[in-house]
Amino acid sequence: MSNSKQQLADALQAALGDRLDLVTLACNEVTLETSPENLLEVAARLRDDEAFRFQQLVDLCGVDYSQFGRDEWLTDEASRGGFSRGVDGGVSSGRLQFGDELDSLATRGRRFAAVYHLLSYANNQRLRLRVHATDDDFPVIPTVTGIWKSADWYEREAFDLFGILFSDHPDLRRILTDYGFVGHPFRKDFPLIGHVEMRYDPERERVVYEPVSIEPRVLVPRVKREDNRYLAEQPEVSDEAQSDA
């Protein structure tokens, strides 16, 4: 399998080398990176070229790399106080409140990306294509709905959750959040508790929005400790001991 993946990576590099920013083979997955300017040409070649024939867009998702590589949890030790603690006691993505800001760790123009997962039935191959928006403040990437129609709802989802705009999309509207929702909830600078909470007010006989009353906190996963039931080397139990038990 790895040989076929390497052959695919080499073929893509040879065919699209001047249109690609990066070709990598890791974890038995081939990943291409290209610019928004070259996206449509690269996507069309990937779909139509007989050597590739990636005719199925399986998935498209947005990514916010602004906090990529920053540790949030410390799970080496546990205390009687529980597991709700983080590495940094200051402002972190888990402790954000309205008005807080996070310093981006991503290089300028590399914060937001759209990632496309492609499938070739004819060649039994999978491929990952990644495109970074060049403007972090106003991320725009061309729509690929004219190449893969399944991108329609995927791009609306990435727009809704990450605020990535897809130029020339036929109907770029929110798809998961409310029409009046403020912000994009999958961005790393969006508080986990949200900006507002809503409830039905029986006196006003309508839904009202109020500031969130939940205190933000970081929940750390449970620490896995050694358990003699799962140790690799366990003492052998004689048949007599088993019968006595």
Side-chain angles (χ1 to χ4, degrees):
M1 181 64 71
S2 58
N3 290 336
S4 64
K5 294 291 185 180
Q6 186 61 58
Q7 292 173 0
L8 173 62
D10 294 341
L12 290 166
Q13 183 68 62
L16 302 168
D18 57 340
R19 297 291 184 267
L20 300 179
D21 298 332
L22 184 67
V23 181
T24 60
L25 174 57
C27 300
N28 206 30
E29 287 281 351
V30 179
T31 301
L32 304 183
E33 284 194 15
T34 189
S35 64
E37 293 76 15
N38 294 323
L39 172 61
L40 296 182
E41 180 181 351
V42 169
R45 288 283 301 275
L46 292 175
R47 183 194 64 181
D48 299 334
D49 196 310
E50 288 296 324
F52 309 128
R53 299 182 67 183
F54 288 100
Q55 297 179 331
Q56 179 66 48
L57 174 65
V58 179
D59 187 28
L60 183 160
C61 62
V63 184
D64 180 357
Y65 286 100
S66 64
Q67 303 301 306
F68 184 74
R70 173 172 286 167
D71 292 330
E72 180 74 19
W73 293 334
L74 178 64
T75 57
D76 294 336
E77 300 177 357
S79 66
R80 293 185 179 181
F83 301 95
S84 181
R85 62 199 185 283
V87 174
D88 186 3
V91 176
S92 59
S93 58
R95 295 181 172 84
L96 276 180
Q97 300 187 58
F98 183 74
D100 290 337
E101 294 184 0
L102 288 176
D103 294 331
S104 177
L105 303 182
T107 305
R108 191 71 181 168
R110 302 281 292 179
R111 175 178 177 180
F112 294 106
V115 181
Y116 309 77
H117 296 272
L118 308 177
L119 174 63
S120 171
Y121 293 108
N123 299 323
N124 191 26
Q125 292 277 21
R126 292 182 181 271
L127 180 69
R128 181 187 297 112
L129 175 64
R130 179 165 50 221
V131 180
H132 285 272
T134 55
D135 189 344
D136 294 345
D137 300 323
F138 193 70
V140 180
I141 295 174
T143 181
V144 294
T145 51
I147 299 174
W148 297 292
K149 290 188 178 298
S150 60
D152 187 350
W153 282 26
Y154 292 142
E155 289 181 348
R156 286 181 59 185
E157 181 183 44
F159 160 69
D160 191 359
L161 300 180
F162 291 92
I164 301 173
L165 298 166
F166 293 89
S167 58
D168 298 323
H169 188 284
D171 187 22
L172 194 62
R173 292 177 292 134
R174 290 185 181 272
I175 194 172
L176 294 175
T177 59
D178 188 21
Y179 292 113
F181 192 88
V182 177
H184 304 283
F186 275 17
R187 287 189 173 189
K188 296 300 183 181
D189 54 5
F190 189 89
L192 296 181
I193 58 174
H195 292 311
V196 295
E197 59 187 27
M198 58 182 291
R199 64 177 178 85
Y200 179 77
D201 190 325
E203 296 181 358
R204 304 181 191 178
E205 297 183 346
R206 64 179 176 86
V207 172
V208 295
Y209 293 84
E210 300 171 335
V212 242
S213 58
I214 305 172
E215 285 294 328
R217 64 186 185 130
V218 178
L219 295 177
V220 180
R222 182 178 296 277
V223 178
K224 293 183 179 179
R225 301 172 178 167
E226 293 184 358
D227 191 316
N228 58 7
R229 293 175 298 174
Y230 307 111
L231 293 178
E233 297 181 0
Q234 296 187 13
E236 296 183 0
V237 181
S238 64
D239 294 338
E240 295 180 358
Q242 290 183 356
S243 60
D244 292 342

